[in-house]
Amino acid sequence: MLLLFCIMSETTLNRRVFVEVINQGLSCIFLYLLESCLNRDETFERKLHMHFVCTRKVVDKLDFELEESAYDDRFAWIVNEIQIGHRKAIVFVHEKTALSLIVYGSKKKDFKNLDELLERALHNYLIEFGVDEHVILQYFDHERANTYHALRNRKHVAVLNHIGNTYKIRSLYYDLELDPNYLIRSMNEFYSVDRRPFNDFIQMLNDLYGSAIHYEAYVFEVRLLEKEDCYRILQVPSMITFDVFH
């Protein structure tokens, strides 16, 4: 608006005054852009990073430099590549909760976009269970810079091997191409006596962002025809599929 006014008024204003007004306007615009950039940099520094802890097999396919710095395990994912049948698959395991995801049919170029693969796989998995999409987007803040680390913790290696072998065995009974989330669901419902990865991951999201899951539920009352006093009441999330319910 200021520049337009100046251009229209050039014939009536003194040339020296015109140049001075133009310079002041440009100075204001420059200061505004500079302040915006500084604020953006400060915001960026406050963001947490997504960390990929990679096996040697994955490190050999990366084009990124590895870091030795400490990281927040809430945003850390262990990455490995396994062979299932005649195809390869990338396995992601959340370091803190042991929640696991699998991307079947991986290719070498996929390792350049591990963040996109992880985001897509986790998003598709959590949405099925009614996790608030806003919470998922907060977890995957695109302004964060990713870091890459070598896997050296023996305990994490053992967890990764156990999950990888379980995926291989269960893939004999599930069609990964048809419904990969079915296998992922079965993996994350129960890991050990004291660890249930899905529940632990949701609790972590609750601690970070507040209530993560919002869904309606159906209540069923099931009675035996011959014994009406024998019954069960079941509360089932509305978005659950029949196979999981069964």
Side-chain angles (χ1 to χ4, degrees):
M1 291 290 290
L2 176 62
L3 293 177
L4 181 61
F5 171 77
C6 292
I7 292 172
M8 293 176 62
S9 306
E10 183 178 4
T11 56
T12 59
L13 288 174
N14 181 283
R15 189 175 189 81
R16 184 176 177 181
V17 175
F18 173 76
V19 173
E20 186 177 347
V21 171
I22 289 291
N23 289 336
Q24 288 179 355
L26 292 175
S27 299
C28 292
I29 294 174
F30 175 78
L31 291 174
Y32 172 78
L33 294 175
L34 180 62
E35 185 178 357
S36 299
C37 292
L38 291 174
N39 289 338
R40 212 167 103 190
D41 290 340
E42 290 174 4
T43 303
F44 176 80
E45 290 176 359
R46 288 197 296 269
K47 298 293 182 183
L48 296 170
H49 294 167
M50 189 65 66
H51 313 287
F52 294 100
V53 185
C54 308
T55 62
R56 174 54 57 184
K57 191 183 299 183
V58 175
V59 168
D60 293 339
K61 298 183 179 181
L62 291 178
D63 294 329
F64 308 103
E65 293 185 4
L66 299 181
E67 299 189 14
E68 298 291 340
S69 57
Y71 54 82
D72 188 339
D73 61 357
R74 297 173 301 176
F75 300 91
W77 292 83
I78 306 170
V79 189
N80 191 26
E81 185 180 45
I82 61 175
Q83 186 83 26
I84 298 181
H86 299 290
R87 305 188 68 179
K88 294 182 179 180
I90 297 176
V91 176
F92 294 98
V93 180
H94 188 245
E95 186 172 305
K96 184 176 180 65
T97 64
L99 184 88
S100 63
L101 304 163
I102 187 168
V103 179
Y104 187 59
S106 60
K107 299 178 181 179
K108 186 175 181 179
K109 63 180 182 180
D110 292 331
F111 291 91
K112 297 180 180 180
N113 303 300
L114 287 177
D115 52 348
E116 294 180 8
L117 284 179
L118 174 62
E119 181 176 11
R120 185 161 55 248
L122 185 60
H123 178 274
N124 292 341
Y125 172 63
L126 294 179
I127 283 293
E128 279 196 12
F129 287 91
V131 176
D132 191 334
E133 188 163 11
H134 180 67
V135 171
I136 302 174
L137 293 176
Q138 279 186 293
Y139 185 74
F140 285 101
D141 191 326
H142 292 287
E143 292 187 14
R144 287 196 298 247
N146 300 321
T147 61
Y148 300 84
H149 309 260
L151 176 61
R152 294 190 175 90
N153 189 307
R154 291 186 179 182
K155 180 180 178 181
H156 295 157
V157 172
V159 171
L160 189 63
N161 289 337
H162 170 75
I163 290 175
N165 291 333
T166 306
Y167 268 122
K168 291 179 182 180
I169 295 172
R170 295 190 180 185
S171 66
L172 299 174
Y173 308 99
Y174 301 102
D175 189 339
L176 277 172
E177 294 190 20
L178 182 63
D179 184 14
N181 279 351
Y182 189 93
L183 179 56
I184 294 172
R185 286 194 299 267
S186 68
M187 287 289 297
N188 291 319
E189 289 173 2
F190 182 82
Y191 176 79
S192 64
V193 175
D194 59 342
R195 296 191 73 176
R196 295 184 179 274
F198 176 76
N199 293 344
D200 295 340
F201 191 82
I202 294 301
Q203 182 59 52
M204 183 198 74
L205 292 180
N206 288 336
D207 295 339
L208 284 171
Y209 311 113
S211 182
I213 296 184
H214 302 278
Y215 58 80
E216 297 178 350
Y218 299 111
V219 178
F220 297 95
E221 184 176 295
V222 182
R223 293 179 179 271
L224 295 178
L225 293 177
E226 298 179 355
K227 296 182 179 181
E228 293 191 2
D229 59 334
C230 183
Y231 66 94
R232 293 291 184 270
I233 297 177
L234 306 175
Q235 180 174 317
V236 183
S238 58
M239 76 292 175
I240 203 170
T241 56
F242 180 76
D243 58 340
V244 176
F245 172 67
H246 184 267

